[in-house]
Amino acid sequence: MTDDCDHNRLLLQAEHDGELNPANAAELAAHLAACPACAATRLEMAELSRRLRAEVPYHHAPGALHARIAAQLAATNRAPTTPRMPLHRQLPGFAAGLAMAAAVALAILPMRGADIGDQVVGSHIRALQAAHLVDVASSDQHQVKPWFDGRLDYAPPVRDLAAQGFPLEGGRLDYLDGRPVSALVYRRARHAIDLFIWPAASHRERAPAGRVTSGYNLVRWSEGDMVFWAVSDLAQQELDEFVRLWRSAR
Amino acid sequence: MPQDGPLPPGLEQALLGNLNAAHNLARWLVRDPAAAEDVVQEAMLRAIRYAASWRGGDGRAWLLEIVRNTAHGWLAARRHRQEVPMDETPGAEAPDPAPDPEAALSGRQERLGLAAAVAALPVELRECLVLREFEELSYRDIARVTGVPIGTVMSRLWRARRALLGTRAERIEA
């Protein structure tokens, strides 16, 4: 082995990794032609890469972790982030911080099977408190609808009711019953209306069609294969009117 | 289109799209399934906090840099507590041994499976190898993620590969 080999090993590796500068390619080719040891190393490196990919496990994120992170991101898109102490100041409480992070993620995961109506109201209240009702702010249904493309595995219907006194304000991605769902936001004077829409197949619904929870009015209906929940602090009569208009609009 | 979400548009997709890469790197760095999930979770919180430093694109190197630093924080905290490591694949009984362990390692590699051999690499070599071989990052991105110059990345990669090639490579060199 020579100094020349040392130098060429890195060139050899760069070639293997697709990083070889063309200016060095000729130099490497000349060395390889004259040095069987480096030529052999080149083959070994290729074989090692092949074996690494074939024999060494790739650790995909477990499904539960994926769900926790997705819920956390969806929640973040509704609430402003709060600055935290730099990590090095938290040591040695780092483990505690990790536990807290996990606890936060669990806390924001809605309990499966918990009452959907309560979850709907809870999501509406969180969005209001965080002053984050919309991810996409637009009164144009043709902008709001495509925004959900790729964010959901279904296409929620979007209708504008501006002419009828319920202008569309936008939409956001929410998280209910363990799955991402669409929420459309409408405005009536100073009142916000959240309209949650998701495929009916995702759970069985036994809740009553209309009710009051924590001072918020709720109306549920289904249309085609979608379930709809409207929630607002509007008077029940006005919310019913909104629902009637929404269902008759096309 | 106006976007008033706390996360810049596209970042949520970038984070979820790179979740497997984040988990794979964390798992190879801390070598413990539960700790790897904790590290990913913490790294995601940091990514959200540092969202303003995201420069668009697929965000892979940006996120992996955060994951890598979080994992090193976890490793440092574990050393600080002087806890016994929880993983212990066979042959990993001396995690992250001191300078130039490759010679000592290489004799052992042949008796181990390749995965155990990767796990037994010193962490600074292991992270370069994982980022290159499994995530296919460019040298430039690996340098960014690991915080060292490109030349150092190249020499660490070479040392990692030489250790994995083991005694056969040594023989060829002799």
Side-chain angles (χ1 to χ4, degrees):
Chain A
M1 181 176 130
T2 63
D3 287 350
D4 200 28
C5 287
D6 264 349
H7 169 68
N8 277 286
R9 289 253 159 71
L10 291 185
L11 292 185
L12 192 61
Q13 177 176 254
E15 181 205 37
H16 174 76
D17 291 324
E19 302 258 359
L20 187 63
N21 182 330
N24 291 325
E27 184 189 349
L28 176 65
H31 179 79
L32 284 174
C35 178
C38 281
T41 302
R42 183 195 204 190
L43 295 178
E44 285 191 331
M45 204 157 11
E47 172 66 5
L48 176 64
S49 285
R50 191 198 59 74
R51 286 187 58 210
L52 282 169
R53 281 155 216 206
E55 298 172 26
V56 175
Y58 186 93
H59 298 290
H60 293 273
L65 178 66
H66 191 280
R68 281 206 304 279
I69 303 285
Q72 182 180 313
L73 291 171
T76 302
N77 265 334
R78 292 194 303 268
T81 53
T82 48
R84 288 175 39 173
M85 240 192 301
L87 187 77
H88 62 87
R89 309 257 313 263
Q90 297 176 17
L91 291 173
F94 185 48
L98 288 179
M100 209 188 309
V104 166
L106 283 177
I108 59 174
L109 257 184
M111 269 185 298
R112 249 201 119 68
D115 183 277
I116 300 295
D118 289 345
Q119 287 189 33
V120 166
V121 172
S123 288
H124 180 63
I125 293 173
R126 278 198 301 277
L128 286 171
Q129 282 172 339
H132 185 75
L133 278 166
V134 292
D135 291 320
V136 50
S138 173
S139 57
D140 182 351
Q141 65 195 78
H142 302 294
Q143 289 201 339
V144 174
K145 189 175 171 63
W147 183 84
F148 287 109
D149 289 351
R151 291 176 166 89
L152 292 169
D153 56 3
Y154 61 96
V158 180
R159 297 167 192 170
D160 185 23
L161 298 177
Q164 294 94 326
F166 294 94
L168 177 66
E169 292 229 310
R172 74 172 184 278
L173 205 59
D174 216 306
Y175 206 81
L176 278 179
D177 200 31
R179 60 159 302 151
V181 300
S182 57
L184 302 179
V185 183
Y186 293 83
R187 181 71 60 176
R188 172 73 151 196
R190 299 174 70 84
H191 303 276
I193 303 166
D194 263 343
L195 178 58
F196 293 88
I197 307 173
W198 64 83
S202 65
H203 68 92
R204 253 179 239 99
E205 192 45 64
R206 286 189 218 89
R211 59 194 261 208
V212 183
T213 299
S214 310
Y216 289 85
N217 286 308
L218 273 169
V219 178
R220 173 184 65 80
W221 76 96
S222 38
E223 193 177 300
D225 51 4
M226 296 282 173
V227 173
F228 299 75
W229 282 87
V231 55
S232 177
D233 60 348
L234 268 181
Q236 184 72 50
Q237 212 179 342
E238 282 191 280
L239 189 60
D240 288 341
E241 174 69 0
F242 166 79
V243 170
R244 192 188 62 75
L245 289 167
W246 202 92
R247 298 188 68 174
S248 57
R250 289 288 158 176
Chain B
M1 192 188 305
Q3 173 86 25
D4 64 353
L7 292 182
L11 180 55
E12 184 175 353
Q13 287 69 30
L15 291 176
L16 284 176
N18 289 312
L19 185 57
N20 281 330
H23 183 262
N24 187 53
L25 177 62
R27 179 68 191 270
W28 278 110
L29 289 183
V30 301
R31 299 180 301 190
D32 174 79
E37 290 198 31
D38 286 348
V39 164
V40 170
Q41 186 86 50
E42 170 67 19
M44 285 292 175
L45 287 178
R46 291 193 196 185
I48 289 166
R49 224 177 307 144
Y50 305 154
S53 70
W54 179 52
R55 295 278 170 264
D58 72 357
R60 175 176 291 238
W62 177 79
L63 176 63
L64 291 181
E65 181 182 359
I66 296 172
V67 170
R68 186 260 182 193
N69 291 338
T70 308
H72 277 263
W74 186 90
L75 290 169
R78 187 182 66 179
R79 275 196 300 275
H80 183 75
R81 295 192 304 273
Q82 298 189 315
E83 280 180 12
V84 179
M86 288 177 285
D87 63 321
E88 292 333 290
T89 42
E93 62 271 6
D96 314 335
D100 198 32
E102 292 100 287
L105 276 175
S106 58
R108 210 166 63 198
Q109 305 303 354
E110 288 197 321
R111 302 195 303 275
L112 303 171
L114 192 54
V118 173
L121 287 172
V123 67
E124 74 273 12
L125 304 190
R126 199 187 324 135
E127 62 189 7
C128 285
L129 186 87
V130 167
L131 290 169
R132 177 60 221 151
E133 293 283 8
F134 300 152
E135 303 305 339
E136 304 190 347
L137 258 52
S138 66
Y139 288 175
R140 211 173 89 171
D141 281 346
I142 298 173
R144 174 188 168 174
V145 171
T146 57
V148 297
I150 288 181
T152 307
V153 168
M154 292 168 71
S155 86
R156 285 181 177 176
L157 257 181
W158 172 249
R159 285 163 60 198
R161 284 167 165 157
R162 193 183 60 186
L164 294 177
L165 288 170
T167 49
R168 289 191 320 156
E170 298 301 321
R171 248 198 325 275
I172 287 165
E173 284 176 14

